[in-house]
């Protein structure tokens, strides 16, 4: 039936414009209902012809373009992708890392003051090292995941996921940290900064893996939508 | 002189105003809204019927409408309802529209010629 061709074309155009699967499903369902109503309003066969549907509903390509445009305009990230995906990840990562280290060191100081013998404990030393690495890894992973999801949900597409991911990779690879554990109160030191050449190649892969996982999940959802409409 | 103002909704906001007004009467779904616009405008307002959906989605995101899947005549349809925020928006848009219509009306009825009669003719 002709409405199925129109709906498939619309779905394809919306998908090509990287709109989120849930929005595509809803938009196509609404247009499908509209086609049914047009077909049932008149009993002659002309009502359901493709030309009639296109005339009444508008060209599917134009309709998809309008939907994509309106959808992006509704989201801050869609209106300002440069600002969001190139400007925001770095400050967000730094802010998250600052919060992580501030809370972590407060806890460590409190524990060190309450249980002085914990300073020489091997498990405590390993825990502190993990905390130090986590201060880089967790913000990198968290911010990459949030911005990748944001890009896909705002219909900005994979290119903005890649842009944010590349920034996070560069940041992660350039981070240098140094932790000297205290043997007595006030003797430890911690430093963090960016350096060239990149020293932390493992951190280069973390954002890539995170962004790839988010994108894979998103693409799997897109493909799970029924492509062919019932005829 | 009063501050310079623009009327961004002069044309762009017309579909939005119509949809708000129709939904203030009763909840409707897309096809019903299109039919209502066609009937009430006596066919004068013609547009691609599909273009109503992006506008409805935008209005829903703005919080002026809510939508819900409902069975209508045995078929599942997305029915839109006006929210309290939508009612406020309707009141504002309708008032603005009335001002624009009144202004255009005054110009069309020749009021501008009277007011600008002191203006000097353009030199040739």
């Amino acid at each position: 039936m002709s409405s199925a061709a129109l709906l498939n074309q619309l779905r394809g155009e919306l998908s090509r414009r990287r709109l989120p699967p849930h929005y595509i499903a809803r938009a196509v369902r609404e247009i499908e209902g509209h086609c049914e109503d047009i077909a049932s309003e008149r009993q002659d066969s002309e009502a359901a012809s493709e030309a009639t549907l296109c005339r009444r509903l508008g060209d599917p390509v134009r309709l998809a373009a309008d939907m994509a445009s309106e959808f992006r305009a509704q989201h801050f990230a869609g209106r300002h992708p440069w600002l969001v995906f190139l400007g925001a990840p770095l400050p967000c990562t730094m802010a998250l890392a600052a919060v992580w280290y501030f809370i972590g060191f407060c806890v460590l100081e409190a524990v060190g003051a309450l249980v002085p013998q914990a300073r020489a404990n091997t498990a405590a030393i390993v825990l502190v090292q993990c905390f130090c690495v986590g201060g880089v890894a967790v913000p990198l992973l968290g911010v990459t995941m949030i911005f990748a999801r944001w890009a896909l949900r705002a219909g900005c597409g994979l290119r903005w996921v890649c842009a944010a991911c590349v920034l996070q990779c560069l940041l992660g690879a350039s981070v240098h940290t140094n932790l000297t554990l205290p043997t007595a109160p006030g003797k430890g030191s911690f430093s963090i900064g960016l350096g060239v050449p990149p020293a932390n190649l493992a951190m280069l892969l973390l954002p890539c893996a995170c962004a790839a996982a988010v994108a894979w999940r998103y693409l799997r959802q897109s493909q799970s939508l029924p492509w062919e409409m019932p005829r | 002189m009063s501050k310079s103002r623009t009327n961004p909704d002069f044309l762009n906001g017309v579909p939005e105003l119509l949809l708000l007004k129709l939904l203030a009467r009763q909840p409707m779904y897309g096809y019903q809204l299109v039919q209502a616009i066609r009937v009430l405008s006596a066919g004068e307002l013609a547009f691609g019927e599909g273009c109503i959906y992006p506008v409805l989605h935008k209005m829903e995101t703005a919080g002026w409408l809510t939508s819900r899947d409902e069975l209508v005549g045995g078929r599942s349809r997305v029915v839109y309802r006006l929210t309290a925020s939508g009612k406020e928006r309707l009141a504002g848009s309708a008032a603005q529209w009335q001002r624009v219509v009144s202004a255009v009306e005054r110009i069309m009825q020749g009021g501008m010629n009277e007011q600008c009669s002191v203006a000097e003719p353009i030199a040739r």
Side-chain angles (χ1 to χ4, degrees), chain A residues 48-227:
Chain A
S49 75
E50 190 167 3
T52 304
L53 290 174
C54 277
R55 182 172 54 76
R56 293 277 299 267
L57 286 166
D59 177 38
V61 178
R62 178 67 191 272
L63 186 55
D66 285 348
M67 284 182 167
S69 165
E70 285 287 1
F71 184 84
R72 291 195 183 106
Q74 291 162 23
H75 294 81
F76 182 80
R79 293 194 300 274
H80 309 288
W82 288 85
L83 176 68
V84 170
F85 299 110
L86 294 182
L90 183 62
C92 287
T93 308
M94 290 169 68
L96 199 56
V99 170
W100 172 280
Y101 283 123
F102 178 76
I103 294 173
F105 281 121
C106 285
V107 171
L108 288 175
E109 281 298 311
V111 169
L114 292 172
V115 193
Q117 63 270 27
R119 294 176 191 280
N121 189 307
T122 309
I125 292 169
V126 172
L127 198 64
V128 169
Q129 293 290 359
C130 289
F131 154 73
C132 187
V133 174
V136 178
V138 170
L140 274 177
L141 281 174
V143 170
T144 305
M145 191 175 75
I146 289 167
F147 279 80
R149 281 176 60 87
W150 194 0
L152 296 173
R153 291 181 73 85
C156 296
L158 291 172
R159 63 183 172 153
W160 290 108
V161 176
C162 292
C165 178
V166 166
L167 276 182
Q168 292 295 91
C169 286
L170 290 174
L171 177 64
S174 308
V175 168
H176 293 250
T177 56
N178 184 33
L179 176 68
T180 306
L181 290 170
T183 51
K187 294 287 186 184
S189 71
F190 172 71
S191 61
I192 184 168
L194 300 177
V196 177
N200 213 343
L201 292 177
M203 292 296 175
L204 186 117
L205 298 176
L206 271 182
C208 284
C210 181
V214 172
W216 175 77
R217 188 164 171 267
Y218 168 81
L219 291 173
R220 204 181 59 167
Q221 280 180 348
S222 300
Q223 287 164 359
S224 69
L225 290 173
W227 186 258

Side-chain angles (χ1 to χ4, degrees), chain B residues 17-26 28 33 36-37 40:
Chain B
L17 176 61
L18 297 179
L19 294 175
L20 286 171
K21 185 69 183 172
L22 291 171
L23 288 170
R25 296 179 183 176
Q26 65 178 69
M28 287 194 235
L33 286 162
I37 291 172
L40 294 173

Side-chain angles (χ1 to χ4, degrees), chain A residues 28-38, chain B residues 31 76-77:
Chain A
V28 171
R29 193 158 52 86
E30 281 190 297
I31 296 291
E32 184 186 10
H34 202 113
C35 288
E36 287 174 3
D37 289 325
I38 289 175
Chain B
Y31 178 80
S76 176
R77 294 287 181 266

Side-chain angles (χ1 to χ4, degrees), chain A residues 1-9 35 45-54 231:
Chain A
M1 192 176 133
S2 54
S3 68
L6 184 139
L7 292 169
N8 280 331
Q9 190 183 357
C35 288
S45 58
E46 189 261 348
S49 75
E50 190 167 3
T52 304
L53 290 174
C54 277
R231 288 168 189 269

